[in-house]
Amino acid sequence: MRFLTSLLSAERHSLDHFNQILSHCIVVGLLSKPFVANKLLQLSICHSEQLSLSRRLLLQIPTPTIFGWNLLFRAHSRSQLPVYSVTLYNAMRRSYDLLPDNYTFPFLLKACSRLGLGCKGQEFHCLSIQLGLEVDVFVQNALIFMYSSCCMIEAANRVFEMVPSLLRDVVSWNSVISGLMQCSRCGDAMRVFGQMLAVGLMRPNGVTLACVLTACGRLGLLDTGKIIHGCIAVGEYSADVYLGSSLIDMYGKCGELDDARKVFDRMPERNVVTWTSIIAGYAQSHLHKNAIQLFREMQNAGFKADPATISSVATACGNLGALDQGRWVHSFCERKDIEMNPVVKNAFIDMYSKCGEIEKALNIFEEMEFIDVFSWTAMISGLAMNGNSEAALTLFSQMQLRKDVSPNEVTFLGVLTACSHGGFVDDGYAYLTEMTQRYNLRPRIEHYGCVVDLLGRANLLHDAFKFITKLPIQPDAVMWRSLLFACRSHGNIELAEYAAAQIEKLDPRRCGSPVLLSNVYACAFRWGDVKRVRENMAQLGIVKQPGCSSIEINGVLHEFLVKDHSHGETNAIYQEVTRIDQILIFERRSKDAIAYLQAAPHDELLCS
């Protein structure tokens, strides 16, 4: 027994060695010993994929202690499957005469917060009161976080107010702030942070500052973020790598990539979160080539990418249309055994869809074990953008039959896009109505813009105009621009002029609408109006952005702008373009000559 105790106390075991110890304990009947059983449970958590071995082992123990159950509650609350924390708790209460203790509730409440199970959290709250834990600060902090994460803000505030002022610690405040952040209540999180500072009894720690910086990034509060940056730079957290990552994220979301890069370059230490933050910042700012280049630098620096890194890089590849590089990133995940969680798979679905590999995207989608609303949305949008409108709407119908998932606002954007590309006018109206009446979702201006695009593509320009004028919200320049584009396609000059005038009021510095309007005039051979529009652009200093195209060759992406001479092979490229032009001119002249010979009378050919 002493030898076995020393083996169990060892910090690391290989899986084979652990299986030998486990088999021996089962054979000699040592699972009934609480110390042995709990040590085996601790070791199994390290070796159990999806914790399935740990669950089976727990159920084999004749009389598991609450300590053993807590081990599994904690492990599952941190895992990809936090729901097992709740199901195991139900099994414990149903089959064993055990009550939870003050360590149990924080793990269970964390699982509820991740799952959004506010009702189950309320049940745990009632039980904690029955057990006399209403003054336990750890349980109360977990309750505050759970209610905030589930958007039950009033309940979170009530729990917070019930905690005596002397017992409130920085974790209490952080629980409110981080819970609000998880619920996307960034403004409320900043308000609570202000209250925390006003009280003056509690100094914010690194977790507080990280949450507040994230809120600043999402809200675009650059000045506030800079003030917090100044406090960090002169305080005890100046070398904190996680706060450095939060600063990079904040500057990136505010569009200040130069400042984000300065923070990154000055950091004495970096980790995978730091690299991911700067890569994501470039990807979110549409600097996708920089994001991919940084990913390669990260590999050269010896850092192993995590799922968040891969998600950002896959997104960058998709937005660039860099299929070869996207395929390389996908195979990189398999070679390096990087966890392909739903977020990563969704990113690859989006990447393959944008690169035109819709079959590959479908394969990833169909092989997913757990399909959440984001996966459904990515696949529906991917089918829509590739012109497979009927398939997208069929997939949406399948989603509606599921009871474990409901479409969100972004899902309906994909559905309305499918209707627009497929010309399904009646379906588009029906889905917009269904969005509000069946799912109680409020359409945003993007949804209304999809309907305008749908009507415009169907040449129902006057219906589109009436739809815009009767909207419950103020139409934006994008919506009028969509109508203007449809007017160009269908040659409606009068409506095009009106749409261009509205765009001029809302977004006078953009060159898109004058260019589209001049194209409408050109199609109608109104060259005087074309000249007038172009001269007006010149007077206002509006310059048309040069067109850009790209091509990927052997995994290298080449970008070209109009009249661009920056490429290393510029001379060879222009020589080849000239040669192709000459060939096309010769072929066109040859075809014209043949057509002339075929059409001309015989005697006219003799005379010539």
Side-chain angles (χ1 to χ4, degrees):
M1 184 65 181
R2 184 178 299 172
F3 176 69
L4 179 62
T5 302
S6 64
L7 282 177
L8 291 172
S9 299
E11 292 185 1
R12 293 185 179 180
H13 292 281
S14 66
L15 181 58
D16 291 339
H17 193 196
F18 170 75
N19 286 333
Q20 291 175 6
I21 297 173
L22 177 59
S23 301
H24 174 74
C25 292
I26 293 174
V27 170
V28 301
L30 291 177
L31 285 184
S32 60
K33 303 289 185 181
F35 171 78
V36 175
N38 291 336
K39 291 300 291 186
L40 287 171
L41 282 173
Q42 285 180 309
L43 293 173
S44 70
I45 290 171
C46 303
H47 295 293
S48 178
E49 184 178 356
Q50 303 292 351
L51 300 172
S52 56
L53 173 61
S54 300
R55 292 193 297 272
R56 292 198 303 270
L57 174 57
L58 178 68
L59 298 178
Q60 291 296 319
I61 298 172
T63 55
T65 64
I66 189 62
F67 180 83
W69 287 100
N70 285 342
L71 287 174
L72 270 292
F73 296 151
R74 179 179 63 179
H76 281 100
S77 69
R78 299 174 176 177
S79 73
Q80 292 185 39
L81 301 172
V83 68
Y84 275 111
S85 293
V86 180
T87 56
L88 283 172
Y89 168 79
N90 292 337
M92 181 187 80
R93 296 301 307 273
R94 184 173 56 249
S95 304
Y96 299 87
D97 187 21
L98 279 176
L99 286 173
D101 60 12
N102 60 322
Y103 294 102
T104 310
F105 287 103
F107 305 141
L108 296 176
L109 291 168
K110 180 177 181 179
C112 290
S113 67
R114 292 184 61 193
L115 295 166
L117 297 177
C119 293
K120 192 67 177 179
Q122 286 178 314
E123 179 185 321
F124 292 138
H125 187 184
C126 293
L127 183 57
S128 70
I129 294 174
Q130 293 174 13
L131 296 176
L133 298 175
E134 61 267 31
V135 293
D136 188 296
V137 69
F138 298 105
V139 175
Q140 300 310 303
N141 288 344
L143 282 167
I144 294 167
F145 181 76
M146 183 276 298
Y147 281 127
S148 300
S149 299
C150 295
C151 296
M152 302 171 71
I153 306 303
E154 294 299 324
N157 289 336
R158 284 196 298 270
V159 176
F160 182 78
E161 294 297 331
M162 289 175 65
V163 177
S165 300
L166 295 177
L167 291 181
R168 289 180 196 164
D169 56 8
V170 68
V171 180
S172 305
W173 290 95
N174 288 349
S175 298
V176 179
I177 294 171
S178 58
L180 288 168
M181 290 297 301
Q182 286 205 10
C183 201
S184 299
R185 302 280 292 267
C186 300
D188 291 330
M190 294 297 294
R191 176 182 54 78
V192 173
F193 176 64
Q195 293 174 355
M196 178 183 181
L197 296 179
V199 170
L201 298 176
M202 201 65 56
R203 288 184 59 196
N205 62 8
V207 175
T208 322
L209 296 175
C211 288
V212 173
L213 285 170
T214 301
C216 290
R218 293 180 185 176
L219 295 170
L221 301 176
L222 179 61
D223 292 338
T224 304
K226 286 184 175 181
I227 292 172
I228 297 173
H229 185 183
C231 296
I232 293 172
V234 298
E236 59 186 294
Y237 299 110
S238 58
D240 190 301
V241 67
Y242 291 102
L243 277 179
S245 302
S246 298
L247 282 168
I248 293 170
D249 178 70
M250 183 273 295
Y251 281 121
K253 283 186 169 61
C254 291
E256 298 292 328
L257 264 297
D258 290 339
D259 289 330
R261 189 58 188 261
K262 288 176 183 177
V263 174
F264 177 79
D265 291 337
R266 291 171 182 172
M267 291 183 68
E269 294 183 14
R270 298 170 184 164
N271 61 9
V272 62
V273 179
T274 310
W275 283 96
T276 300
S277 297
I278 191 67
I279 291 171
Y282 277 105
Q284 291 163 3
S285 298
H286 307 292
L287 298 172
H288 306 298
K289 287 184 70 174
N290 302 72
I292 295 172
Q293 179 59 36
L294 273 168
F295 176 65
R296 296 188 181 278
E297 293 178 15
M298 176 182 176
Q299 304 311 306
N300 294 333
F303 289 90
K304 183 180 178 181
D306 65 3
T309 319
I310 297 300
S311 174
S312 296
V313 177
T315 300
C317 292
N319 289 329
L320 276 176
L323 179 59
D324 288 344
Q325 295 192 46
R327 285 172 174 162
W328 180 87
V329 174
H330 195 176
S331 63
F332 175 85
C333 290
E334 297 172 350
R335 292 196 313 271
K336 299 296 184 180
D337 197 28
I338 296 174
E339 177 190 354
M340 292 286 287
N341 64 23
V343 175
V344 175
K345 290 181 179 179
N346 293 344
F348 279 120
I349 290 172
D350 181 69
M351 184 273 293
Y352 281 117
S353 297
K354 287 178 177 176
C355 293
E357 289 282 332
I358 196 65
E359 291 298 328
K360 182 63 176 177
L362 276 169
N363 290 340
I364 297 174
F365 177 80
E366 291 169 353
E367 292 173 358
M368 293 181 70
E369 183 178 357
F370 302 101
I371 305 178
D372 59 14
V373 62
F374 305 106
S375 306
W376 287 100
T377 300
M379 196 66 253
I380 291 168
S381 301
L383 288 166
M385 74 174 67
N386 280 274
N388 299 333
S389 298
E390 293 184 0
L393 298 181
T394 300
L395 190 64
F396 179 65
S397 298
Q398 295 174 10
M399 178 186 181
Q400 289 180 301
L401 297 175
R402 300 284 294 268
K403 295 182 179 180
D404 59 340
V405 65
S406 294
N408 60 18
E409 292 89 345
V410 184
T411 314
F412 275 98
L413 277 178
V415 170
L416 292 172
T417 300
C419 292
S420 178
H421 290 179
F424 306 133
V425 175
D426 293 337
D427 290 331
Y429 278 124
Y431 284 124
L432 187 67
T433 302
E434 187 176 26
M435 176 182 178
T436 57
Q437 296 184 358
R438 178 176 176 181
Y439 294 102
N440 198 29
L441 297 172
R442 180 179 296 179
R444 300 199 301 260
I445 197 161
E446 294 89 349
H447 299 94
Y448 295 126
C450 282
V451 176
V452 173
D453 184 62
L454 166 63
L455 296 171
R457 287 172 182 261
N459 198 15
L460 300 172
L461 300 180
H462 290 287
D463 289 341
F465 175 73
K466 291 178 182 178
F467 181 82
I468 294 175
T469 56
K470 293 181 179 179
L471 285 178
I473 58 177
Q474 181 70 26
D476 64 352
V478 176
M479 194 175 295
W480 287 110
R481 197 172 290 117
S482 178
L483 180 62
L484 176 57
F485 188 87
C487 291
R488 189 201 69 167
S489 300
H490 300 291
N492 191 319
I493 297 177
E494 181 182 357
L495 199 53
E497 290 176 334
Y498 184 85
Q502 300 305 310
I503 298 171
E504 179 70 20
K505 296 177 183 176
L506 296 169
D507 192 7
R509 300 302 302 173
R510 289 284 295 274
C511 68
S513 56
V515 172
L516 283 175
L517 184 60
S518 68
N519 291 340
V520 174
Y521 288 137
C523 291
F525 304 106
R526 291 171 54 169
W527 304 113
D529 289 322
V530 173
K531 181 180 180 182
R532 175 178 56 80
V533 172
R534 296 287 181 168
E535 289 176 348
N536 187 43
M537 288 175 60
Q539 291 175 359
L540 294 174
I542 300 175
V543 180
K544 182 181 182 299
Q545 294 296 319
C548 177
S549 60
S550 62
I551 184 171
E552 187 181 22
I553 303 174
N554 296 327
V556 179
L557 193 73
H558 302 269
E559 289 184 330
F560 301 95
L561 297 173
V562 174
K563 298 182 180 180
D564 180 30
H565 294 80
S566 61
H567 195 278
E569 300 292 332
T570 294
N571 293 334
I573 291 170
Y574 276 97
Q575 288 176 5
E576 183 64 18
V577 170
T578 301
R579 189 182 69 84
I580 293 173
D581 283 342
Q582 291 173 348
I583 292 173
L584 293 175
I585 291 171
F586 175 77
E587 290 181 350
R588 185 165 62 250
R589 287 176 176 174
S590 299
K591 290 179 181 179
D592 291 342
I594 293 172
Y596 171 73
L597 291 173
Q598 291 174 342
H602 183 67
D603 56 350
E604 182 179 326
L605 292 175
L606 290 175
C607 294
S608 61

